[in-house]
Amino acid sequence: MEEKDMLNYKKYKRVPVVDYPEREWPNKEIEKAPIWCSVDLRDGNQALVEPMVVEEKIEMFNLLVKLGFKEIEIGFPAASQIEYDFLRQLVERKLIPDDVVVQVLTQCREHLIKRTFDAIQGIPKAIVHIYNSTSTLQREVVFHADREEVKQIAIDGTRMVKKYMKDYDGKVILEYSPESFTGTELDFALDICTAVQEEWGATPDNKIIINLPATVEMTTPNVYADQIEWMNKHFKNRDSIILSIHPHNDRGTGIAATELALLAGADRVEGTLLGNGERTGNIDILNIAYNMFSQGINPELNLENVKEITEVCERCTKMAVDPRHPYAGKLVFTAFSGSHQDAISKGMQALQKRTDGIWEVPYLPIDPSDIGREYEPVVRINSQSGKGGVAFVMDSFYGFRLPKGMHKEFADIIQKIAEKQGEVAPEQIMDEFRANYLDRKEPMHFKKCQITDKEYEGGAFATVAILTFTDHDTERTVEGVGNGPIDAVQRAIEEALGIEIRVLDYNEHALRSGSGAQAASYIHLMDVKSGRATYGVGISSNIIDPRYLQCGKQIVLLRIKMNQFRVTACVRVDSRRFGRYAEMCAALFLPAHLLVS
């Protein structure tokens, strides 16, 4: 490829890293949630194609309160009338809870600060957030000012806040942001923040919030962490400072930058729900909080219903949540891959056997139900899916625990459908299961079976089966004798049809509990002559009335009512398994179809 056809990467220069070999953050772990501050109503709102109207902002504010945010940046009241009116609505309608502190943003200009204080009258406690741009680039091309001139803007802004506080009847917490911190020399960022800190007179009892934003994400997350730790270690009177961060996501690594900054000493995080914000957005507070949750850390937010959160956000912002959005996306707990589906299925089965209460399932870092999601979409079937996924759907949706050997046989049926139409819904999978197994009447259809036990001299037993079925629509009744119900029926069929059958496997289980319980039975049969094998499946409703029990002789006499047809049977069982007599009775009734011609 010729040079002219390549990306012109030489026009960009690399952002320098921080020379900070004494960094300590790589050896630390996140241990607790930070102070959360939502900026959905300010930073998030200003980035919308259609900014929220007052009632939409109130709905969003109420959601944030419900989620447990104690600090909420509600806007830039001096910027527009709608911002001002929204704040006054919160005050006049008494919508701000006593334990929630609202935050307002303003530039370091006197008329804007005055208007801001007019807007917050009547609020017992407010964070007044002032800022000015400090980066090398903006000093040169926007403000044409040197360091001292830019620092003086911040000092003057602090003095103006102190001036207008005198006529304010509430408490003010000052927050200062050196905007474009990531593009600011560290020594200058420290100098300007310290100047504001000293002008404000911050103390351990009257802390100042120093907010260090990645207004534009400029390099790898580790560099941001170095910047935060360097500032954290060099601040004067660190116990008088709440160290806050406000990362954006220009490089797509905002979440990582935030988590590393928490390791580096940040106390507070500003962000938005679902990451809405300028350009590629602010950091997504939900993402970080759910990440903490997945590590056994209390996020200290009420995030049990992500569906409600996304619905409110989509309605108020008029922006759709991407289906692959972490935690909130519709497809993030969905597996299409056959190997993934099989692993999830096995993981769920293993989980049911465990008693420690710890969630460990392959490909599912958290339990979807913990955040208001359902299991239905976890496994979806398409042409890329495998036998494990189909088996998982049959079990989790409909309660059929297919024998392992049956997985491939049924999955092959679904695979052919998926190759023609794409995704196959669970309802269609069940329809195919009924058509191919439960409701199949050709070539043979089971009608009824009478089972009796015959006792011989010496106490030996044999089982007699009188089986009625249709063979290509012709009804037949045959009799067989064997050492149990299945063996007796097998012999009856072999004699009637002149074939030799081998029972390879037999399973049964209850489908659901209660008085209307159903049992499912599965039988795996092979035609000995041809070697061809297939599965049959049957379901039955039964009411079982045990009339007497002789555990010492290991005999249970059962009175069974099955589809209005009464039979009496003696079944040899281990007395320790008597609690499963309902499942054992399912063995008296064979699947709806036995052989496929």
Side-chain angles (χ1 to χ4, degrees), residues 246-546:
H246 182 118
H248 278 250
N249 196 41
D250 299 85
R251 290 169 54 90
T253 57
I255 298 297
T258 302
E259 293 180 330
L260 297 188
L262 289 172
L263 299 178
D267 307 308
R268 181 176 183 267
V269 172
E270 293 187 348
T272 61
L273 302 178
L274 304 170
N276 178 40
E278 295 281 12
R279 304 177 308 281
T280 56
N282 290 67
I283 56 95
D284 178 358
I285 286 181
L286 294 182
N287 194 337
I288 299 169
Y290 284 134
N291 284 354
M292 291 180 179
F293 175 70
S294 73
Q295 300 299 303
I297 300 170
N298 182 0
E300 298 183 14
L301 290 173
N302 305 317
L303 305 176
E304 296 87 355
N305 193 341
V306 72
K307 183 178 179 182
E308 177 190 14
I309 298 170
T310 55
E311 286 175 349
V312 173
C313 289
E314 287 183 330
R315 181 165 58 251
C316 292
T317 65
K318 305 170 188 65
M319 294 177 62
V321 175
D322 190 278
R324 299 292 182 190
H325 197 107
Y327 301 102
K330 292 180 179 178
L331 295 179
V332 297
F333 296 114
T334 300
F336 288 99
S337 162
S339 60
H340 289 203
Q341 292 170 349
D342 182 61
I344 290 172
S345 177
K346 290 174 179 174
M348 296 293 286
Q349 293 170 14
L351 192 68
Q352 293 173 0
K353 299 176 183 178
R354 295 175 55 177
T355 58
D356 59 8
I358 301 298
W359 175 268
E360 285 185 314
V361 175
Y363 303 110
L364 293 178
I366 67 170
D367 183 346
S369 67
D370 283 338
I371 61 173
R373 299 292 294 272
E374 298 175 349
Y375 286 127
E376 280 92 333
V378 168
V379 171
R380 290 169 63 171
I381 307 302
N382 62 15
S383 60
Q384 303 301 306
S385 305
K387 59 183 186 294
V390 175
F392 181 84
V393 168
M394 290 302 300
D395 186 0
S396 60
F397 279 61
Y398 303 109
F400 286 90
R401 299 196 295 272
L402 307 186
K404 186 173 181 61
M406 188 180 177
H407 291 187
K408 185 177 187 308
E409 178 178 295
F410 183 47
D412 286 346
I413 295 171
I414 303 304
Q415 174 79 8
K416 292 177 182 177
I417 297 171
E419 288 173 353
K420 292 180 180 178
Q421 70 177 47
E423 185 176 350
V424 185
E427 295 81 5
Q428 188 176 2
I429 293 173
M430 185 62 205
D431 288 344
E432 291 297 325
F433 187 72
R434 288 193 187 95
N436 285 274
Y437 296 98
L438 301 180
D439 298 339
R440 187 160 188 160
K441 294 180 172 56
E442 292 293 338
M444 298 172 61
H445 176 49
F446 169 78
K447 303 289 286 188
K448 61 182 179 180
C449 182
Q450 181 179 355
I451 303 291
T452 58
D453 271 12
K454 182 178 180 180
E455 186 174 4
Y456 297 96
E457 292 184 8
F461 279 85
T463 300
V464 178
I466 301 176
L467 175 66
T468 301
F469 63 95
T470 58
D471 180 1
H472 295 86
D473 294 329
T474 300
E475 185 170 301
R476 302 181 62 179
T477 299
V478 296
E479 181 177 314
V481 179
N483 59 17
I486 296 177
D487 186 49
V489 171
Q490 175 185 338
R491 292 174 184 271
I493 293 174
E494 287 179 328
E495 184 175 341
L497 302 180
I499 60 175
E500 184 180 354
I501 304 169
R502 181 176 299 165
V503 178
L504 301 177
D505 191 23
Y506 179 81
N507 304 92
E508 81 277 343
H509 64 80
L511 280 175
R512 62 175 184 269
S513 60
S515 59
Q518 287 186 310
S521 59
Y522 312 85
I523 192 162
H524 193 193
L525 299 176
M526 182 180 74
D527 182 339
V528 175
K529 183 177 181 180
S530 67
R532 187 162 181 263
T534 189
Y535 273 89
V537 185
I539 57 174
S540 302
S541 299
N542 58 78
I543 300 171
I544 304 166
D545 177 18

Side-chain angles (χ1 to χ4, degrees), residues 98-137:
D98 293 339
D99 61 345
V100 172
V101 181
V102 296
Q103 177 172 307
V104 288
L105 182 74
T106 179
Q107 292 174 326
C108 296
R109 298 180 183 179
E110 186 161 8
H111 70 286
L112 298 178
I113 293 175
K114 180 179 184 304
R115 178 73 166 165
T116 299
F117 272 90
D118 290 342
I120 63 174
Q121 287 298 332
I123 298 176
K125 183 189 288 187
I127 298 170
V128 175
H129 182 185
I130 61 173
Y131 72 97
N132 65 313
S133 295
T134 60
S135 70
T136 307
L137 181 62

